[in-house]
Amino acid sequence: DAKTTQPPSMDCAEGRAANLPCNHSTISGNEYVYWYRQIHSQGPQYIIHGLKNNETNEMASLIITEDRKSSTLILPHATLRDTAVYYCIVRDNDYKLSFGAGTTVTVRA
Amino acid sequence: DARVTQTPRHKVTEMGQEVTMRCQPILGHNTVFWYRQTMMQGLELLAYFRNRAPLDDSGMPKDRFSAEMPDATLATLKIQPSEPRDSAVYFCASGLIPDVQPQHFGDGTRLSIL
C-alpha cells in the first residue's frame, strides 16, 4: 500500500512555480522519498529523490520537512509539457515502489 | 541516455492466446521490475528479479502469468492463456540494488485482449 497522501489535482499557470505537497507521516528513518511523473501514454519518469536534506536537480527541487513527515516538490517554472500525473513514493527496504493515485497537474497557458 | 526498452509497444490478440512481453534493462542494472497499469487499479507491482533470480512475484497471478530472465539483457513476462481482464499497460523498470539511485521505466506494452 502507498505510504503517501497527495492532493488529487492542481492547476498551475505557465511560467509560475508549481508546489506539489506530499504527506508521508509514517516514513521510517532510512526510507527515501522519490518523485516520479507520468505523462500520458509514457512510462513513469524519475524526477528527484531525497532522505533528509533538500535536493535540487535540473528538473525540480525537493523540500523535506525536518521531521520528514512531509515534502514538497517544486517545479520552478512550469511549462505546458509539465502537465502530468506526479507521484510521491516512499521506497521500502525491499526497493519496491508503491504508486498511489498521484496528483494530476495541469499547466495552463 | 540509457533507456529501458520494451517490445512490443502494442499488442492486440484474442482471448486464449499466449502473450510474451520483452524488456531490455539498462546495462549494468541488476534488478528488473514488472508493473501493470489499469484505470481501476493504477500502477501495481507484479514481480521483480535481482541478478536474474526472482525476488518477489506475489503480485502476479500464478496460474497464467510467468516472468523469467533468461540472461542479463532480457526479461520476459508471459501470459498463457490470456483473458480480457489482462488488458492493461505493462511496464518494465530496471535499477541497481542495493543503491538509492532510482528505477527507470520503459514506455510500456499496451495489451488488449479481445
Side-chain angles (χ1 to χ4, degrees):
Chain A
D1 291 336
K3 301 179 184 179
T4 63
T5 304
Q6 300 178 253
S9 63
M10 64 182 294
D11 285 359
C12 176
E14 188 178 21
R16 303 295 294 270
N19 297 314
L20 283 64
C22 178
N23 287 325
H24 31 79
S25 58
T26 61
I27 194 170
S28 298
N30 60 348
E31 290 180 326
Y32 280 74
V33 178
Y34 288 77
W35 283 83
Y36 283 79
R37 72 181 183 184
Q38 189 172 24
I39 297 170
H40 183 60
S41 298
Q42 297 181 19
Q45 177 190 23
Y46 165 75
I47 301 173
I48 200 167
H49 71 280
L51 180 64
K52 299 179 186 177
N53 300 322
N54 298 337
E55 302 287 345
T56 295
N57 63 20
E58 66 278 4
M59 290 182 69
S61 295
L62 175 60
I63 309 298
I64 302 175
T65 58
E66 192 169 341
D67 64 8
R68 301 210 324 122
K69 292 185 176 182
S70 65
S71 60
T72 301
L73 178 75
I74 301 173
L75 307 178
H77 304 287
T79 71
L80 298 178
R81 288 178 294 182
D82 291 323
T83 292
V85 179
Y86 287 76
Y87 297 99
C88 169
I89 302 165
V90 172
R91 192 178 77 171
D92 67 20
N93 292 327
D94 291 331
Y95 298 87
K96 294 185 288 188
L97 301 178
S98 294
F99 286 81
T103 297
T104 299
V105 173
T106 303
V107 180
R108 302 193 186 278
Chain B
D1 288 340
R3 296 174 60 88
V4 174
T5 303
Q6 291 187 249
T7 56
R9 290 296 313 279
H10 303 273
K11 176 75 175 180
V12 180
T13 192
E14 293 187 347
M15 180 175 64
Q17 297 297 306
E18 178 177 299
V19 173
T20 299
M21 291 169 275
R22 295 177 174 81
C23 169
Q24 181 176 358
I26 291 173
L27 188 65
H29 282 182
N30 64 357
T31 307
V32 171
F33 303 81
W34 284 103
Y35 294 83
R36 176 172 62 184
Q37 186 171 35
T38 62
M39 290 293 292
M40 294 298 294
Q41 300 294 329
L43 261 167
E44 51 183 351
L45 179 67
L46 297 176
Y48 72 112
F49 292 75
R50 179 181 175 187
N51 294 326
R52 299 172 57 198
L55 278 188
D56 186 345
D57 60 2
S58 59
M60 198 166 69
K62 303 289 192 305
D63 55 338
R64 299 181 299 106
F65 284 60
S66 62
E68 296 180 344
M69 212 166 161
D71 62 60
T73 64
L74 177 64
T76 62
L77 180 66
K78 292 185 180 181
I79 308 174
Q80 170 63 17
S82 57
E83 297 180 2
R85 59 179 168 152
D86 301 328
S87 297
V89 183
Y90 290 81
F91 290 103
C92 172
S94 73
L96 193 60
I97 290 178
D99 197 283
V100 297
Q101 292 308 307
Q103 300 174 24
H104 291 279
F105 286 74
D107 280 332
T109 294
R110 185 173 297 273
L111 178 64
S112 296
I113 308 296
L114 306 177

